[in-house]
Amino acid sequence: MDIASTPSNPSGNPEMADAAFEPHDPATIFRKNYTPPSWLVPEIRLDFDLGLELTRCVATLTVRRNPDGDGDQTLHLCGDNLAVMRLLVDGAEAEGWSMSGSNLLLPLPGASHVVTIETQLHPATNSQLMGLYASGGMLCTQCEAEGFRRITFFPDRPDVLSKYTVRMEGDAATFPVLLSNGNLVETGKGEAGRHWALWDDPWPKPSYLFALVAGQLVANRDTFTTMSGRKVDLAVWVREGDLERTGHAMRSLIASMKWDEEVFGREYDLDQFNIVAVSDFNMGAMENKGLNIFNTRYVLADPETATDGDYDGVEGVVGHEYFHNWSGNRVTCRDWFQLSLKEGFTVLRDQMFSADMGSEPVKRIEDVRILRAAQFPEDSGPLAHPIRPDSYQEISNFYTATVYNKGAEVIRMMHTLAGPERFRKGTDLYFDRHDGEAATCEDFIRAMEDGAGLDLAQFRLWYEQAGTPKVLMRSEFDQSKGAVTLHFEQKVPATPGQPVKKPMPIPLKVALFDRDSARHGGERLLVIDKDKASFTFDGFARPPAISVNRGFTAPIQLEAESHDDDLIFLAAHDDDAFARYEALQQLVTRELLGAIEHGPDEARRGAIVDAVGAVLADPGIDDLMRGELLMLPTITFLLELAAPADPVALHRTRERLKAHIGTRLRAPLIALHDRASAIPYGLDAAARGARKVKTQALVLLAAADPKEAAARAEAQYRAATNMTDRQGALMVLAGIDSPARSELLADFHARFAGNALVIDKWFGLQAGSLDPKVLDTVEALARHPDFTIKNPNRVRSLYMTMAGNIAAFHDESGRGYRMIADLVLALDPINAQTAARFIPALGRWRKIEPGRAALMRAELERIAAAPDLSKDTREQVSKSLDG
Ligand code: B3K
Ligand code: ZN
């Protein structure tokens, strides 16, 4: 049977869908089954005797029966990979306790007790990087979501909030710096070269926000005085030698603290704020209270080793983690189904922050590009889930683009509906009402209703329903009345477990342009809240050009019945920068999807060349925006519209269009490259924009004339004073067969030997290249002495980059799929969280033509057949096969 034409989701078979989502599988946890904890832990003291090989932990829990609980006399303590070394209740040997799987059950007679638990940890062999682990000779922790249970037995759920006191003791030479959450209270010297530190965090917090760091670190220190006059000591801790690369992170932190005061009225609440950079880390960073732990990638930056994109990443992630201090820490989540409460909201906050720090329209375009490339495919695939999921097997699999980025879009729609002032009233009320609590998405919605004065009854569907709504729009012009009517129709697609959907409220900003004056009579906000809706506007002598979803007010797929002329007009004249970008993207999308079916449309290609030519020539467009306008839509986005399709054919069609543009616009592209190359390095928008267009020009020129572009890229590389220019040049060169390619790749490696983040780039440049031999290269790189499967950054730089390289991953032989499956099987026992992140690439098989889809499925089945798969990978694989 044609595999790609089997039902792509349970909509074809609702009975099966129901069966799959009922609570038969004991491993599945359901949102509807939430019950409050039976026991609370108002206070916990942790005493650590630190060692890389062996750390001893004594946890002293003050436990109290929860008056709102179910009265269960047994204290349920989660554990993972832990043995009980000692267990006391109120100072005496505990009795009657038992293990249930890896969890500890302790019956307690009274209403409050003190429970003491001793555990032993082995940080050096903790390759999962969850709980307490060793990284480069230091000790650090990662507890979200369920890592604290790898440190001690505890009710490891976000609605149990405790005040933490932490005492750490260890060898002073191995661990000169001892950090934990809150404020440092006391330090002292022990015997035999040991020392200790006592930390106290006055703010009750869930266990996922606990953190500890011990090691040889140096700090970039500064201070920040909050709006009420509290002086906060700031420190960014890194390994010696990295100190000079911490300035941008510190500046970003100070800017974030100030911005959150000004825009959201949020003030910091401790005397200290510490950031620590760690090179072995499963994700970007972690918002532990007062002690953020970061992947080095989002801390270290200097012009020589970090690109402008890296600088933006540091600023955005530093902001994101800092903003969690309120949206996540002061108000936390009741359970993990509410994850988007903190993540969606915090992503929106970091997006607004970055927009304010740089260019608002450019930031919006970047955010929408990420949404379309990462979230839309997720929402239309087997792993689709609402921003507030109903069930999960492994919560680590739900740190997704849906929960984060679509979650941000949903709150952004509230912002659009309310306007900035009323939105702020809503957030103020939310923070006031729920400060110190573990809240739900419903709490947030209610605060928005009460504070911002919105009616969100139907809007709640955005939290419940998965799937990207499709909105069809056509217009009708009545000459006699001079009126135009816009007809909208919305369809929310079926997704696994949700075969039938209800219409949602979709806010669309719209403007109607008079074609002669290129003006419109004001932007309007339309809300489409039924299956079908029509809106009439009069006062038009002839049909206006219609600009819809300006600023991308709703996260939808819009299919507008429009002529190329409309898009050409809007690409040239729309006064909303996003809409202008969007019109050009749509024109290109139309051309690419048409070309794959029946060859290029000469008239449309001509119009695209003219539009791009205008973008190159227009002095009213700044270079940062120009760089965006020069990028063609991604293949992942096109696959959403064309599926099931041959991705390599799409890729080639896209390359041909790039070549066509590069050929026709050779002279202005060369002029642009020359102009931009003359602008000296700086971090200002003009200089950054120049670097952006420099590489975009090279990309188009390389598609047209690789030989000529190789010479230009080589010159750019050799003249480079910074990583943006160097990486851009090498990125282009890596796809062109020329003697300079190997020479400069070798130069790059030698120049940055020992700098892990730059060596990651070196792997990525090769794994992402347009070179037809890229799979041979990846295989060879996996044997390179610098490659290690134990470091997530390195694994991602080689394999995630390859999985995103369309021509390589979708190689007709299936070799790309096989390499990813081999990686998953090798990585799963070492680092399950990182391994599971590779499954969605193979899980997209339904979007791919039948031949390749069968090969992708076969690899998923090979993974599924492996014994002892982690819960993480097992959930993703089985859903990808069945969902
Ligand atoms: N809250 C963390 C993510 C933790 C992921 C655990 N698997 C980072 C962030 O979103 O800020
Ligand atoms: Zn976050």
Side-chain angles (χ1 to χ4, degrees), residues 482-551:
V484 63
T485 302
L486 307 185
H487 299 287
F488 293 95
E489 192 177 337
Q490 66 161 296
K491 290 180 183 154
V492 188
T495 48
Q498 295 187 333
V500 180
K501 298 288 173 53
K502 294 182 188 145
M504 320 219 271
I506 296 175
L508 296 176
K509 275 194 180 153
V510 173
L512 307 172
F513 281 85
D514 174 73
R515 287 168 204 265
D516 294 327
S517 65
R519 293 194 169 179
H520 62 83
E523 197 173 62
R524 300 155 210 257
L525 181 65
L526 308 179
V527 180
I528 320 297
D529 56 6
K530 306 210 167 49
D531 286 331
K532 291 184 181 178
S534 299
F535 302 84
T536 300
F537 307 93
D538 48 28
F540 295 95
R542 60 194 199 100
I546 304 155
S547 168
V548 193
N549 207 14
R550 293 155 68 78

Side-chain angles (χ1 to χ4, degrees), residues 27-28 130 144-146 282-283 336 339 378 382-387 389 391-404 824 828 831-840 869-880:
T28 300
M130 283 297 280
E144 186 176 0
E146 297 181 335
N282 281 340
M283 63 273 166
W336 291 119
L339 186 58
E378 186 170 272
L383 300 170
H385 51 276
I387 64 165
S391 67
Y392 63 77
Q393 291 170 21
E394 170 52 60
I395 187 56
S396 294
N397 289 331
F398 284 78
Y399 287 76
T400 58
T402 297
V403 166
Y404 275 64
V824 169
D828 193 53
N831 185 332
Q833 231 179 76
T834 303
R837 296 228 153 216
F838 285 87
I839 301 297
L869 270 189
S870 67
K871 203 158 48 130
D872 309 57
T873 300
R874 168 79 54 209
E875 176 177 31
Q876 300 301 72
V877 174
S878 56
K879 286 182 176 172
S880 297

Side-chain angles (χ1 to χ4, degrees), residues 2-26:
D2 178 352
I3 289 173
S5 68
T6 53
S8 67
N9 56 51
S11 60
N13 187 346
E15 288 86 358
M16 256 182 62
D18 288 342
F21 284 81
E22 272 309 301
H24 298 316
D25 180 353

Side-chain angles (χ1 to χ4, degrees), residues 287 320-321 324 342-343 346 404:
E287 70 264 25
H320 180 98
E321 304 312 328
H324 268 313
K342 73 178 179 81
E343 295 305 348
T346 305
Y404 275 64

Side-chain angles (χ1 to χ4, degrees), residues 579-700:
R580 192 172 173 186
Y581 156 86
E582 184 68 359
L584 185 50
Q585 291 282 304
Q586 279 185 34
L587 195 63
V588 172
T589 301
R590 210 173 262 190
E591 171 55 21
L592 292 173
L593 297 181
I596 197 154
E597 293 282 313
H598 29 72
D601 175 323
E602 285 313 326
R604 193 182 285 136
R605 280 214 302 188
I608 291 171
V609 168
D610 288 349
V612 176
V615 163
L616 294 175
D618 188 344
I621 302 176
D622 65 58
D623 277 342
L624 282 172
M625 179 58 82
R626 201 182 324 277
E628 291 299 330
L629 293 166
L630 293 178
M631 288 181 217
L632 304 193
T634 63
I635 301 294
T636 359
F637 174 66
L638 296 170
L639 275 173
E640 286 302 293
L641 305 169
D646 175 345
V648 178
L650 259 180
H651 165 74
R652 294 208 179 107
T653 309
R654 185 175 179 272
E655 288 305 302
R656 276 196 292 274
L657 182 60
K658 276 163 66 181
H660 181 76
I661 297 171
T663 307
R664 292 296 158 93
L665 297 174
R666 178 176 173 273
L669 284 167
I670 286 178
L672 176 64
H673 191 263
D674 286 342
R675 168 176 72 76
S677 301
I679 296 177
Y681 185 85
L683 282 172
D684 54 296
R688 289 170 57 116
R691 291 191 289 277
K692 188 169 174 179
V693 292
K694 207 188 297 181
T695 293
Q696 287 312 315
L698 259 190
V699 164
L700 292 170

Side-chain angles (χ1 to χ4, degrees), residues 198-220:
L198 185 70
W199 288 82
D200 178 77
D201 184 358
W203 299 102
K205 64 172 176 285
S207 50
Y208 82 85
L209 290 174
F210 164 76
L212 163 169
V213 172
Q216 295 169 5
L217 293 158
V218 289
N220 174 359

